[in-house]
């Protein structure tokens, strides 16, 4: 893919991933063994089952409202939604009040999802305008890490934004331009300028959250995000790219490889608090899934399994739960309107 002119890094990522003719997510289905990467719902269906049970419990805690919306942010290949619907159907009193919305940007992935999910109560959306009655529970696995970020460099009191100059080269030259006082004050307000080094700012992600938090405040509900990220600001570039399950250099295979960044979870927490939403303590994926009973569920299922099936089940759980794989690097954050705490999975 050709990228021309001098562009800020978020625009570059946006074009590489979401250009609607040549962008990565608009030209292929990258999930699974034959794709470029796998995500938790593809590793084990128990991941989606646990999230589904958690959502039913949240609905119950709200007093079982007779209209309830769930919105999956970035449903990927639709696997999580498919498994969740299967679980939801085991709770008919919940399921009859449920509307499911799939918020998907890519037309290619929307097609993949539509082939997998045929239920009448599922609607594909490009914005949240249709959701205007009943509480709204938003959730996303690896949604936020897939949204382009801006990068800055802080040297003493000066702040520069990273731009890329491709200038007919295949690999771009990084150029840093001094930013305006307005940008400095915006970054300061988000506590991003405490240390020198690279500052990552999810401008587009926060725009998405602005709309979501407004919906939650007007309709009641919440937002559950699971993603890989950190709690202590790193001040280094966390951009990474993968292709065929291997690391790829960011500027190689543009439009043919995935690009993500680590999520700054404390930034999200502060952001929600400033909007007067309640936020639970951020926990690791392993903590959350274990509290939701994933090991007990595995034990029940494994009783009817052959040795080979059992080993496969526990091998997959190990990937989701072990500190060396996804258990600790992946974190869970939940923010919601209610003042009364909903702590399932978090304590
Ligand atoms: C890394 S994938 C995660 C997929 C899935 N949640 C999973 O865990 O397998 C990111 C997903 O978010 C979608 N996406 C990214 N940015 C989006 C946006 N601004 N609006 C809607 N969907 C978006 C992508 O097209 C893709 O479906």
């Amino acid at each position: 893919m050709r990228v021309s002119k001098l562009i800020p890094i978020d625009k570059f990522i946006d074009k590489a991933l979401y250009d609607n003719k040549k962008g990565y997510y608009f030209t292929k289905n990258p999930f699974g063994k034959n794709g470029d990467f796998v995500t938790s719902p593809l590793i084990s269906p128990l991941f989606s089952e646990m999230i589904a049970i958690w959502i039913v419990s949240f609905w119950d805690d709200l007093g079982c409202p007779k209209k309830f919306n769930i919105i999956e942010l970035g449903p990927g290949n639709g696997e999580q939604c498919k498994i969740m619907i299967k679980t939801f159907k085991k709770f008919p009193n919940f399921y009859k009040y449920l509307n499911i919305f799939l918020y998907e940007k890519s037309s290619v992935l929307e097609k993949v999802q539509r082939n997998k999910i045929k239920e009448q109560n599922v609607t594909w959306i490009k914005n949240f305008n249709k959701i205007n009655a009943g509480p709204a529970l938003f959730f996303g696995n690896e949604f936020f890490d897939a949204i382009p970020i801006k990068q800055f460099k802080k040297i003493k009191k000066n702040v520069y934004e990273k731009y890329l100059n491709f200038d007919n080269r295949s690999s771009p030259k990084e150029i840093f331009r001094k930013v305006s006082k307005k940008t400095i004050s915006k970054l300061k307000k988000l506590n991003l300028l405490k240390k020198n080094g690279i500052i990552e700012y999810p401008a587009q992600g926060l725009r998405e959250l602005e709309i979501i938090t407004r919906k939650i405040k007007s309709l009641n509900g919440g937002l559950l995000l699971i993603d890989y990220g950190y709690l202590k600001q790193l001040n280094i570039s966390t951009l990474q790219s993968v292709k065929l399950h291997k690391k790829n250099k960011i500027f190689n295979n543009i439009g043919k490889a995935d690009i993500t960044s680590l999520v700054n979870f404390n930034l999200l927490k502060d952001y929600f608090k400033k909007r007067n939403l309640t936020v639970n303590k951020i926990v690791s994926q392993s903590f959350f899934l274990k509290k939701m009973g994933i090991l007990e569920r595995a034990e029940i299922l494994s009783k009817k399994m052959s040795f080979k099936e059992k080993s496969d089940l526990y091998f997959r759980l190990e990937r989701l739960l072990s500190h060396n794989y996804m258990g600790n690097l992946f974190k869970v954050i939940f923010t919601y309107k209610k003042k009364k705490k909903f702590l399932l999975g978090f304590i």
Side-chain angles (χ1 to χ4, degrees), residues 185-195 199 233 264 266-267 270 274:
S185 96
K186 195 157 54 182
L187 297 175
K188 228 182 213 160
K189 267 192 201 149
L190 293 165
N191 279 326
L192 288 172
L193 294 185
K194 285 196 177 145
K195 282 193 200 155
I199 316 286
Q233 203 172 311
N264 179 343
N266 273 326
L267 172 77
D270 291 346
K274 272 193 191 133

Side-chain angles (χ1 to χ4, degrees), residues 240-243 246-254 257-258:
Q240 47 189 304
S241 174
V242 290
K243 185 172 166 54
K246 289 202 181 92
K247 278 192 179 166
N248 171 65
K249 286 189 180 147
I250 304 279
F251 302 118
N252 283 357
N253 300 301
I254 299 170
D258 191 25

Side-chain angles (χ1 to χ4, degrees), residues 17-18 25-26 30-31 37-42 47 72-80 103-106 109 113 125-126 128 140-148 204 208 258 260:
L17 298 182
Y18 302 110
Y25 282 105
F26 278 76
F31 301 92
F37 58 88
V38 287
T39 54
S40 298
L42 312 188
F47 173 85
E72 181 170 1
L73 306 166
N77 71 357
E79 191 60 24
Q80 179 162 7
Y103 180 58
E104 177 56 67
K105 198 169 181 163
S106 150
L109 290 180
Q113 294 153 19
I125 51 170
K126 299 273 182 249
F128 309 120
N141 182 58
E142 291 207 41
F143 170 67
F144 212 75
D145 73 41
I147 302 179
Q204 193 184 319
E208 297 275 350
D258 191 25
T260 55

Side-chain angles (χ1 to χ4, degrees), residues 122-268:
V122 180
T123 313
W124 277 262
I125 51 170
K126 299 273 182 249
N127 58 52
F128 309 120
N129 299 345
K130 275 191 189 153
I131 306 157
N132 37 38
L137 189 271
F138 294 80
F139 70 96
N141 182 58
E142 291 207 41
F143 170 67
F144 212 75
D145 73 41
I147 302 179
I149 54 161
K150 281 188 173 295
Q151 285 189 327
F152 299 89
K153 192 191 260 180
K154 181 174 174 257
I155 308 172
K156 292 183 184 157
K157 285 206 164 105
N158 296 319
V159 183
Y160 307 85
E161 179 166 359
K162 192 195 274 187
Y163 284 77
L164 301 171
N165 183 357
F166 280 82
D167 209 10
N168 291 329
R169 275 178 284 241
S170 55
S171 198
K173 193 171 172 203
E174 292 184 351
I175 290 178
F176 287 89
R177 283 181 159 183
K178 230 174 168 175
V179 302
S180 65
K181 283 195 176 131
K182 203 172 140 203
T183 303
I184 294 190
S185 96
K186 195 157 54 182
L187 297 175
K188 228 182 213 160
K189 267 192 201 149
L190 293 165
N191 279 326
L192 288 172
L193 294 185
K194 285 196 177 145
K195 282 193 200 155
N196 285 336
I198 297 292
I199 316 286
E200 295 192 326
Y201 171 53
Q204 193 184 319
L206 295 186
R207 282 198 293 277
E208 297 275 350
L209 292 188
E210 193 59 47
I211 305 167
I212 292 171
T213 49
R214 260 192 262 136
K215 269 284 164 204
I216 293 171
K217 289 182 90 163
S218 74
L219 295 176
N220 198 3
L223 164 66
L224 180 81
L225 287 176
I226 304 177
D227 228 310
Y228 54 120
Y230 53 88
L231 299 177
K232 243 190 178 168
Q233 203 172 311
L234 299 171
N235 290 99
I236 52 166
S237 171
T238 70
L239 285 178
Q240 47 189 304
S241 174
V242 290
K243 185 172 166 54
L244 299 172
H245 304 271
K246 289 202 181 92
K247 278 192 179 166
N248 171 65
K249 286 189 180 147
I250 304 279
F251 302 118
N252 283 357
N253 300 301
I254 299 170
K256 307 245 177 307
D258 191 25
I259 301 175
T260 55
S261 58
L262 295 185
V263 174
N264 179 343
F265 273 83
N266 273 326
L267 172 77
L268 299 189

Side-chain angles (χ1 to χ4, degrees), residues 310-339:
K310 216 190 268 184
S311 335
D312 183 60
L313 170 74
Y314 281 102
F315 172 73
R316 287 165 182 277
L317 284 194
E318 171 80 1
R319 280 187 74 177
L320 291 184
L321 301 176
S322 152
H323 275 215
N324 298 332
Y325 294 102
M326 301 164 91
N328 195 37
L329 186 56
F330 275 71
K331 313 250 183 298
V332 189
I333 188 167
F334 181 50
T335 186
Y336 47 111
K337 184 175 174 182
K338 256 188 4 174
K339 292 283 172 265

